[in-house]
Amino acid sequence: DIQMTQSPSSLSASVGERVTITCQASPDSSHYLNWYQHKPGKAPKLLIYDVSNLESGVPSRFSGSGSGTDFTFTISSLQPEDVATYYCQQHDYLLRFTFGPGTKVDLK
Amino acid sequence: QAHLVQSGGGVVQPGRSLRLSCAASGFSLRTAAMHWVRQAPGKGLEWVAVMSALLHDGSYKYYADSVKGRFTVSRDDSKNTLDLQMNSLRAEDTALYYCARDRKVGDNDAFDIWGQGTMVTVSS
């Protein structure tokens, strides 16, 4: 199965600060990567698909980059409504899907 | 507009069964792969199962190792609903369960539409 790691597991940042989360996948992954935002009591929300494509309606302060097994998710200017847990997600060529362990983002 | 509404869930004893349902509107489930994803209390998201769109030779289904042989995903095309039959439930199956639509762009599969979630508690 795909193994995925995310770092950090949690972070605190000030409003307006730049936030960066990294995700590393095992070599047998599909090399495609998606990012989700999950707030308590809400369904997860797709933010970035296929590494760097912004989902429709998602603010442009969210972005993704990377290739191979190393990927990065960035919030260019943290807003109060961005407090959430963020997950990366991949699948392998046998269509087994995996989420990263998540990064909890709080306000400082 | 595409929308998913979940039903089912509740409290069940270990070893018993439960069935979850996910009703789609705004699109046909036959044209989209659909997933079940769960979140145990205090834990992260865990993928559970996928059922493909209806292909020329039927639909394929894949399961996480943690539920293989116990959970079955199915689709009722007449009702446009996706079901998850959960048998031999264990305490570790306690979680908030989501259905989600798969949107395939090239070779990438992303979960673009999610249900509201339904809680399953396995306890004696």
Side-chain angles (χ1 to χ4, degrees), chain B residues 7 13 18-19 28-29 32 35 46 51-52 68 114 123:
Chain B
S7 59
Q13 293 178 328
L18 202 60
R19 191 176 188 92
S28 170
L29 287 177
H35 300 263
E46 178 190 15
M51 182 169 186
S52 74
K68 199 174 297 181
W114 294 70
S123 174

Side-chain angles (χ1 to χ4, degrees), chain A residues 61-102:
Chain A
R61 63 180 180 273
F62 296 100
S63 64
S65 64
S67 64
T69 60
D70 296 295
F71 302 90
T72 300
F73 172 81
T74 300
I75 307 173
S76 61
S77 176
L78 186 69
Q79 300 302 304
E81 60 267 31
D82 300 336
V83 170
T85 300
Y86 293 85
Y87 295 91
C88 54
Q89 172 258 317
Q90 272 201 323
H91 62 83
D92 64 15
Y93 296 105
L94 297 178
L95 294 178
R96 295 173 300 195
F97 293 78
T98 302
F99 289 91

Side-chain angles (χ1 to χ4, degrees), chain A:
Chain A
D1 290 1
I2 302 172
Q3 302 299 318
M4 301 186 75
T5 59
Q6 269 183 252
S7 62
S9 57
S10 65
L11 65 90
S12 293
S14 302
V15 173
E17 192 172 339
R18 184 180 186 89
V19 168
T20 300
I21 299 168
T22 62
C23 178
Q24 187 168 51
S26 54
D28 58 347
S29 66
S30 65
H31 306 294
Y32 296 99
L33 192 96
N34 308 307
W35 291 95
Y36 300 85
Q37 177 190 67
H38 194 198
K39 297 180 179 181
K42 302 267 190 175
K45 178 183 178 182
L46 176 64
L47 299 181
I48 303 288
Y49 65 94
D50 195 6
V51 180
S52 60
N53 294 280
L54 194 66
E55 179 71 351
S56 176
V58 173
S60 59
R61 63 180 180 273
F62 296 100
S63 64
S65 64
S67 64
T69 60
D70 296 295
F71 302 90
T72 300
F73 172 81
T74 300
I75 307 173
S76 61
S77 176
L78 186 69
Q79 300 302 304
E81 60 267 31
D82 300 336
V83 170
T85 300
Y86 293 85
Y87 295 91
C88 54
Q89 172 258 317
Q90 272 201 323
H91 62 83
D92 64 15
Y93 296 105
L94 297 178
L95 294 178
R96 295 173 300 195
F97 293 78
T98 302
F99 289 91
T103 296
K104 187 174 182 181
V105 175
D106 284 325
L107 284 179
K108 191 181 292 182

Side-chain angles (χ1 to χ4, degrees), chain B residues 35-99:
Chain B
H35 300 263
W36 288 96
V37 175
R38 69 184 181 183
Q39 183 180 36
K43 303 293 186 180
L45 299 174
E46 178 190 15
W47 174 78
V48 172
V50 60
M51 182 169 186
S52 74
L54 183 60
L55 307 172
H56 67 279
D57 55 351
S59 296
Y60 61 78
K61 306 173 188 180
Y62 292 115
Y63 301 90
D65 288 343
S66 57
V67 307
K68 199 174 297 181
R70 300 186 299 121
F71 288 14
T72 302
V73 60
S74 62
R75 185 178 59 227
D76 186 329
D77 291 339
S78 66
K79 297 179 181 178
N80 207 30
T81 57
L82 180 80
D83 289 345
L84 183 68
Q85 178 65 40
M86 304 182 292
N87 298 331
S88 303
L89 282 163
R90 306 166 180 168
E92 54 264 35
D93 296 318
T94 295
L96 183 60
Y97 284 74
Y98 296 98
C99 59

